[in-house]
Amino acid sequence: MEYALLIDGQLVAGTQTLEVVNPATGKPLALAPRADEAQAETAIAAARRAFPAWAALGYAKRRAYLETLATAMEQRAEDFARLLTQEQGKPIEQARGEVGASVAAIAYYAEQELTPRTLRESEGERIIEQRYPLGVVAAITPWNYPLLLLVLKMAPALITGNTVIGKPAPTTPLTTLLLGEIAASILPAGVFQTLVDQNDVGALLSGHPDVAHVSFTGSTPTGKKVLASAADTLKRFTLELGGNDAALVLDDADIAQVAPRIFAGATTNSGQICLAIKRVYAPRDKLDALCDALAKLAGEAVVGDGLEQGTTIGPIQNRAQYEKVLGFIEEARGQGTLVAGGEPVAGEGYFIAPTIVRDLPDDARLVREEQFGPVLPVLAYDDLDEVIARVNGTDYGLGATVWTSDAERGIAVASRIESGTVWVNRHLDLPFDVPFGGAKQSGIGRQQGIEGMEDFTQPRIVNAALS
Ligand code: NAD
């Protein structure tokens, strides 16, 4: 299949090409068009030109466009899912889930509307808060959920009246390009565009004076660069960054029930989820039982090509990340006890068997840093105050989970964790109407919910004396 960029309503070639590798085979999958700076400038200018008319359309007309887009995507759902598995690696059922959620997100946002709020109303005065769109939005995404993370930016930005340029990670551009191809015959020119780069156009977008908002999801170090480049023009931004989410198992938890859910939370999408469980704390007298249960689940996992029937864990998405995760395992081998995994998996792809590590010190790299792979440290604790301090003892603050037989007690413990989201007895529940975002160095701003839509708008107070 030929892939093209969507710039100013036209499907065009890049000035160069980029080889996209299938992580399950380590072999080239496709050539993607790669944009240069001039094409990025053309796209920004087109987005700016398209903005006034799109903003003036109003919610009802924009809604119709988004509904048409959602329907067209749904008709190509299986193409999207197969392409997603091939470029990203996740098992096909998880890819179908991501595509289904992406279609649902567009349909959901199509129905939403930000309405003015009356702050004061009397005979003598009326004070109203209105919201108007910002202009050109750059939606910069990582490689773990390339389609869903794009749509979760694009749909709320478009419905509130902004125009959007989508820029995927260089290793997963294909589903973004397919979305652009579909949007080309539905949305007016310049309203949505796609640019593929080799990590070189993102900085141009985030520093550009004609880009009004950067909605960035990616690593904390790159997020800091985006923040720095936004300073010059005081542009608006949303930063969804890395995490090191703890799972805290309370002493009343039923290990047999909790273990599979912790295992899934740590290994879904091969652990490449910002909100994945990245470290586990268990009461000392439950540590053996939990490690045994997790090791058993790890042994039962089927690691392989996501297109193959029965695969439960696909490859790591790219070679650099694969080597990084192997490095975490080698360091952990020297400092703790591997109770599952840790050995290479046969095949040319970037496969890593789910690996469970215990007896690590708190300052081990696998405990302190974000591994972003299916490698899970399990740590013992003796006292609740002590473990909450350890859970909070990180610069990250994206998510966390608390596992208990007593939900009320779980809520009380959750209320002491410094994090953007804390789940009790569930995980990765992210309804579109509930905002999420990071505390500390896990991010600034919110996505989803009304707050996430408001992030794409400027509040304006209209303050009138009536008499
Ligand atoms: P990354 O930071 O390397 O890249 C993310 C995107 O930024 C890519 O599109 C990249 O091309 C672009 N980019 C690179 N340099 C840039 C610059 N100077 N200016 C602007 N854009 C630039 O992240 P990654 O390795 O692709 O993704 C993994 C990370 O993403 C993990 O840390 C993970 O936790 C995080 N993540 C966070 C969330 C969240 O919602 N908080 C969700 C998913 C992933």
Side-chain angles (χ1 to χ4, degrees):
M1 175 173 166
E2 285 279 314
Y3 292 92
L5 306 168
L6 174 58
I7 298 178
D8 200 9
Q10 304 297 316
L11 291 167
V12 297
T15 47
Q16 297 177 63
T17 54
L18 189 74
E19 192 173 78
V20 181
V21 171
N22 179 341
T25 62
K27 302 236 157 45
L29 168 66
L31 283 180
R34 177 178 163 193
D36 64 3
E37 291 195 357
Q39 285 181 307
E41 291 287 354
T42 304
I44 294 168
R48 237 174 96 87
R49 272 198 310 279
F51 171 61
W54 181 250
L57 272 184
Y59 278 91
K61 290 195 175 132
R62 291 195 296 264
R63 173 169 307 137
Y65 276 112
L66 289 194
E67 282 169 353
T68 307
L69 184 64
T71 305
M73 255 183 102
E74 196 167 24
Q75 285 162 356
R76 298 286 299 274
E78 193 56 20
D79 294 341
F80 269 110
R82 291 186 70 81
L83 192 59
L84 185 54
T85 291
Q86 287 174 293
E87 73 168 345
Q88 201 282 329
K90 65 191 59 179
I92 186 73
E93 275 311 316
Q94 289 179 34
R96 290 187 181 118
E98 180 174 344
V99 174
S102 303
V103 172
I106 297 185
Y108 172 81
Y109 283 108
E111 297 299 318
Q112 305 307 309
E113 182 167 346
L114 295 179
T115 48
R117 281 198 308 147
T118 303
L119 304 181
R120 283 194 186 186
E121 172 94 75
S122 69
E123 254 180 41
E125 66 175 359
R126 186 180 308 148
I127 305 181
I128 311 164
E129 185 192 79
Q130 305 170 335
R131 293 258 167 194
Y132 64 92
L134 294 170
V136 180
V137 170
I140 302 179
T141 50
W143 40 256
N144 58 342
Y145 283 84
L147 187 62
L148 182 59
L149 293 177
L150 171 61
V151 162
L152 288 175
K153 299 174 185 310
M154 169 198 184
L158 289 181
I159 193 65
T160 47
N162 303 278
T163 55
V164 175
I165 298 174
K167 198 216 74 63
T171 55
T172 53
L174 302 180
T175 42
T176 298
L177 293 172
L178 180 55
L179 181 57
E181 186 192 309
I182 291 171
S185 57
I186 295 172
L187 298 176
V191 166
F192 175 66
Q193 303 178 87
T194 55
L195 290 176
V196 171
D197 73 340
Q198 182 70 275
N199 283 330
D200 47 0
V201 167
L204 185 153
L205 292 173
S206 57
H208 202 288
D210 290 340
V211 172
H213 181 113
V214 180
S215 182
F216 173 86
T217 299
S219 63
T220 296
T222 313
K224 288 180 183 177
K225 289 188 199 161
V226 171
L227 184 56
S229 63
D232 239 10
T233 51
L234 276 184
K235 68 168 51 64
R236 304 304 186 251
F237 55 85
T238 313
L239 301 176
E240 296 291 352
L241 308 178
N244 190 8
D245 294 9
L248 176 48
V249 180
L250 299 189
D251 54 12
D252 60 10
D254 176 342
I255 295 297
Q257 265 192 14
V258 159
R261 301 166 79 180
I262 290 181
F263 184 75
T267 60
T268 298
N269 206 34
S270 297
Q272 303 164 116
I273 305 183
C274 53
L275 290 154
I277 293 174
K278 293 180 180 141
R279 48 196 172 119
V280 182
Y281 295 89
R284 194 168 299 279
D285 64 355
K286 291 197 185 269
L287 189 78
D288 287 348
L290 181 60
C291 286
D292 288 351
L294 292 172
K296 184 164 181 286
L297 291 159
E300 289 163 3
V302 182
V303 181
D305 187 329
L307 285 183
E308 269 165 34
Q309 191 74 21
T311 295
T312 58
I313 298 185
I316 299 295
Q317 199 280 316
N318 57 74
R319 176 168 283 284
Q321 182 64 20
Y322 171 69
E323 283 165 4
K324 190 172 154 194
V325 176
L326 288 179
F328 272 106
I329 294 177
E330 282 324 303
E331 253 184 80
R333 197 190 299 282
Q335 287 182 295
T337 313
L338 267 61
V339 296
E343 300 307 325
V345 176
E348 296 299 307
Y350 312 142
F351 297 111
I352 293 184
T355 299
I356 311 293
V357 190
R358 56 177 290 175
D359 308 327
L360 282 172
D362 273 6
D363 63 357
R365 202 157 69 88
L366 184 58
V367 179
R368 281 185 298 109
E369 292 183 18
E370 182 184 44
Q371 64 273 47
F372 223 58
V375 184
L376 185 65
V378 188
L379 303 134
Y381 72 85
D382 298 299
D383 168 81
L384 193 59
D385 289 340
E386 161 234 311
V387 75
I388 289 174
R390 288 162 73 198
V391 166
N392 287 336
T394 168
D395 288 337
Y396 289 115
L398 194 57
T401 50
V402 178
W403 303 93
T404 171
S405 300
D406 177 350
E408 292 303 329
R409 188 173 166 228
I411 291 170
V413 171
S415 307
R416 297 175 62 189
I417 295 178
E418 298 161 357
S419 196
T421 302
V422 186
W423 286 283
V424 176
N425 291 338
R426 55 169 32 164
H427 185 220
L428 295 180
D429 182 53
L430 291 164
F432 299 134
D433 59 338
V434 176
F436 89 94
K440 301 193 247 182
Q441 295 196 21
S442 285
I444 300 179
R446 314 294 274 172
Q447 283 203 178
Q448 303 191 184
I450 289 297
E451 292 84 346
M453 284 175 67
E454 287 179 346
D455 257 17
F456 289 112
T457 63
Q458 171 64 43
R460 170 174 52 211
I461 300 294
V462 175
N463 184 333
L466 298 182
S467 55

